[in-house]
Amino acid sequence: MMEEDVRFMRIALGLARRGEGLVNPNPMVGAVVVKDDRIIGTGWHERFGGKHAEVNAIEDAKRKGHDVKGATMYVTLEPCSHWGKQPPCADRIIKEGISRVVIAVEDPNPLVSGRGIKKLRAAGIEVEVGLLGEEARKLNEVFIKYITTRIPFVSIKLALTLDGFIATESFSSQWITGEAARARVQELRKKHMAIMVGSGTVLRDNPRLNCRLDNCPEKVKVVLDRSGRVAEEVRRGRRFNLFEDGRAIFFTEKPEKFEGIAEAYPITEPEEILKKLGELGIDSVLIEGGRAACGFLPLADKFYLFYGPKLFGRGINPFECLKVETAERAFPLRIDSVEMLGDSVLVTAYPGGRDV
Ligand code: AOF
Ligand code: ZN
């Protein structure tokens, strides 16, 4: 039976992933209802505020004419016990007469955190927790950080030459990585609610900072613009692509310059900027601005380093601010995966010495 359990939970994890980028700041959740070793219903949390995975799976089974009484449910996150935008899933599972629930990971939401499991057990349901827990935790690394700290999950994305430069000394940086790598960046933008860059990137490249995949929600574009140079350019009549969709937020020493132009907050320390974004309901930030990334290094949760097949020999090193003097003081990383993307390589890493 154990092998079967793993198989069904994997399917539930695959379903959960379909909600990526569409449910933030909620978790991605998938559920499978099984009876007599056959899947009779599947569901996932499809959009923020929408029905939860368990309810979608139960309703799917019923729509197909199945009786869920006595069935087993595989769900990637502990069923909720509280009233939010949706009613408590634990109550619905009990009411439907499901007799066994296999859960990948406990819900870290302080409003739930074990109460859903308790409720199910108190109703006589057999509950198992922890199957593929590591995968489930990784899938919801953004949700887990944000719901427990109210600080957004911070990813740093960089496109580098193999010798570690993001641009030449004259800031030319086009086409370091290939098409496949750039397509992956779109997926990363989908996963994160906000995209952050420095004003230098905006003034030089005039990026859209949007997500061009199907069904991708509009992004919050965060710009660090100490002296308000973007506002000055706007007043001179220059148009910036990042204003075309979504929401733009500037952190600046001169918020007054942005009056009538964009939402702006006083620039502070990186910690304070993240705290502010958390207060604004943003659960995740993808830092794309090469040099803007350095100040956020100690706060980063994940690194996406794309290496293109080029050498510059000299240029802009995005990690220059580290100024490491001796090898033992290096900024430590733990490599999670390495992928070939066309002619480029993606190294995904976490800060060293810290578990996900
Ligand atoms: C589940 N199944 O599919 C999801 C859960 O405002 P609400 O009602 O949507 O509740 C959101 C909270 O519920 C969220 O923070 C998390 O704790 C849990 N999400 N729970 O049982 C689901 N999406
Ligand atoms: Zn729920």
Side-chain angles (χ1 to χ4, degrees), residues 26-27 29 45 49-54 77-80 82-87 89 107 109 112 143 147:
N26 271 359
V29 186
H45 188 42
K51 283 184 186 171
H52 287 184
E54 301 90 319
L77 186 74
E78 172 186 6
C80 64
H82 70 301
W83 279 86
K85 291 190 168 56
Q86 295 290 328
C89 293
D107 187 347
N109 184 347
V112 183
F143 170 73
I147 198 82

Side-chain angles (χ1 to χ4, degrees), residues 164-176:
F165 298 111
I166 54 168
T168 64
E169 283 179 335
S170 58
F171 286 101
S172 111
S173 62
Q174 293 277 291
W175 318 128
I176 288 178

Side-chain angles (χ1 to χ4, degrees), residues 176-190:
I176 288 178
T177 54
E179 192 60 48
R182 288 199 301 276
R184 175 60 68 88
V185 171
Q186 288 294 317
E187 286 172 33
L188 294 182
R189 284 187 180 175
K190 185 166 185 184

